[in-house]
Amino acid sequence: DTGVSQDPRHKITKRGQNVTFRCDPISEHNRLYWYRQTLGQGPEFLTYFQNEAQLEKSRLLSDRFSAERPKGSFSTLEIQRTEQGDSAMYLCASSLGVRRTDTQYFGPGTRLTVL
Amino acid sequence: KNEVEQSPQNLTAQEGEFITINCSYSVGISALHWLQQHPGGGIVSLFMLSSGKKKHGRLIATINIQEKHSSLHITASHPRDSAVYICAVRSNAGGTSYGKLTFGQGTILTVHP
């Protein structure tokens, strides 16, 4: 399977714990995006990488959230001191990055439940 | 007011019916995407439009840039079309902001046999 993969697919944690999610984009894709989707809503942008550079961060991404893409390949999204409001589906997408309007390919998402 | 608004929020149809989902947006865009999301979360890109009309099988997407409006049509709907359909736009703002998508809230489509 050469699509975007995310790990884990599901995560249940207690409030106050730290969690880390991983996204592996399609191998030749330069751009990588993180989105968050709460129940009944469309996804919301969190952050975006061009290769290893984090080019934009949403105001939704509080100081408890950090994302990295150290070698321009896979990316991690860490949430520290989780809160119940962090419960959501975290989606990763990647795109080739050669044009401004290239198609984004989405991973299956990581569903986070904070108890 | 959200930058991207979809209507209707919920749509129920009988198999074979013609379906239209609408999307209006308030920002300048470089492209508009129609996405399909099945239960469990997986999102598939159906169309990317910057002008005119595109067709793929029973799906047709149109966009009117002047009116800032797009429609997704499904002809001869089938129960397997049941999913959430999401409209998303890519801003034409300069700098680094052009990478991200801004999404509508989605339209839940249920097609009954």
Side-chain angles (χ1 to χ4, degrees), chain A residues 78-113:
Chain A
E78 182 184 14
I79 309 174
Q80 295 182 327
R81 305 181 302 280
T82 52
E83 302 173 355
Q84 288 185 324
D86 298 330
S87 295
M89 175 76 84
Y90 290 83
L91 294 162
C92 174
S94 70
S95 68
L96 197 54
V98 295
R99 294 183 301 148
R100 289 182 61 170
T101 56
D102 56 353
T103 299
Q104 294 185 21
Y105 295 85
F106 286 82
T110 294
R111 184 171 295 282
L112 173 66
T113 302

Side-chain angles (χ1 to χ4, degrees), chain B:
Chain B
K1 189 178 188 301
N2 293 334
E3 291 181 343
V4 182
E5 295 276 355
Q6 286 184 236
S7 64
Q9 291 190 14
N10 286 279
L11 182 56
T12 301
Q14 289 298 125
E15 184 173 356
E17 287 185 357
F18 181 84
I19 287 163
T20 296
I21 301 170
N22 295 300
C23 175
S24 296
Y25 52 92
S26 57
V27 296
I29 67 168
S30 58
L32 181 144
H33 299 252
W34 281 102
L35 309 164
Q36 181 191 57
Q37 186 172 32
H38 281 284
I43 292 179
V44 174
S45 180
L46 299 174
F47 294 104
M48 183 173 61
L49 296 162
S50 54
S51 65
K53 176 179 174 178
K54 286 190 176 180
K55 184 175 189 292
H56 185 258
R58 295 180 294 106
L59 302 178
I60 303 167
T62 63
I63 188 169
N64 184 318
I65 296 294
Q66 287 73 31
E67 294 186 3
K68 296 186 175 177
H69 180 269
S70 176
S71 293
L72 176 69
H73 306 285
I74 305 175
T75 62
S77 60
H78 191 276
R80 64 175 175 265
D81 297 326
S82 297
V84 178
Y85 292 85
I86 304 172
C87 170
V89 301
R90 187 191 298 267
S91 167
N92 62 3
T96 59
S97 292
Y98 63 78
K100 67 181 184 183
L101 294 176
T102 301
F103 296 80
Q105 78 275 29
T107 295
I108 302 171
L109 172 64
T110 305
V111 181
H112 293 295

